[in-house]
Amino acid sequence: MVDGLRIAHAADTGKAIAALRARDDVIYAEPNYIVHAINTPDDPSFNQLYGMTKIGAPQAWDITQAAATS
């Protein structure tokens, strides 16, 4: 943890971030996005490949597939 770090929960995230960013004693304020996997690799041998989850291959797949469709 960082000295002085605080985590705040708010009903209206946008307003809370704007109010916090306006303060001189706040270094930064940002939402804590929750990311959910939407795709999985379609390689039938994916589970047999060493280290794919260790290097974040499924997460990268989600990012690149989402970018390709947007």
Side-chain angles (χ1 to χ4, degrees):
M1 293 297 283
V2 177
D3 288 338
L5 177 67
R6 301 289 185 268
I7 298 174
H9 298 276
D12 188 337
T13 304
K15 286 183 181 179
I17 290 173
L20 288 167
R21 287 183 176 166
R23 294 177 52 123
D24 291 336
D25 60 338
V26 174
I27 297 172
Y28 70 94
E30 61 186 23
N32 184 14
Y33 294 107
I34 298 173
V35 179
H36 300 280
I38 56 172
N39 294 314
T40 55
D42 57 1
D43 183 344
S45 301
F46 180 78
N47 291 332
Q48 298 171 6
L49 299 172
Y50 174 78
M52 291 291 106
T53 55
K54 288 186 177 185
I55 64 168
Q59 294 84 354
W61 182 268
D62 289 341
I63 292 168
T64 58
Q65 291 299 309
T69 59
S70 55

